[in-house]
């Protein structure tokens, strides 16, 4: 599911920025990652693991009729099982 990325702009004393800074400080959340974490992330990005083809595995979804977000058609009170294979 896509997520919207929020980017704060404006002055450091802007109300939302100030509230989030206070919340982060109150919870002890660091503003940045430690250098060793950044280095590991850089190494991992340069050497990603090989892609794994799992198309041989059967795949299906069970869908709650009240939350039909996994298939394009809306259900009418019946849970559907849909195979990913044609």
């Amino acid at each position: 599911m896509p997520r919207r990325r929020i980017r704060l702009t404006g002055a450091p004393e802007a109300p939302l920025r100030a509230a989030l800074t206070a919340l982060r400080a109150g919870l002890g959340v660091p503003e940045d990652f430690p250098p060793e974490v950044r280095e590991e992330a850089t190494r991992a990005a340069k050497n990603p693991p090989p892609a794994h083809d799992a198309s041989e595995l059967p795949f299906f979804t069970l869908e709650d009729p009240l939350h039909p977000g996994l298939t394009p058609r809306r259900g009418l009170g019946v849970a559907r099982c849909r195979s990913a294979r044609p």
Side-chain angles (χ1 to χ4, degrees):
M1 171 173 260
R3 284 192 273 173
R4 182 177 291 177
R5 203 164 186 196
I6 298 174
R7 182 176 173 191
L8 294 178
T9 60
E13 66 276 359
L16 179 59
R17 184 182 295 273
L20 290 175
T21 300
L23 179 63
R24 195 170 34 247
L27 294 174
V29 177
E31 289 189 30
D32 202 0
F33 291 103
E36 60 272 11
V37 173
R38 288 186 163 276
E39 291 166 9
E40 177 64 25
T42 301
R43 280 194 302 275
K46 288 179 181 175
N47 277 327
H52 175 71
D53 179 9
S55 59
E56 76 281 356
L57 298 175
F59 176 81
F60 65 92
T61 61
L62 292 177
E63 189 172 86
D64 180 349
L66 298 176
H67 303 93
L70 298 177
T71 59
R73 290 174 284 139
R74 301 251 175 212
L76 298 174
V78 178
R80 287 192 304 268
C81 178
R82 183 182 78 167
S83 173
R85 293 184 181 187

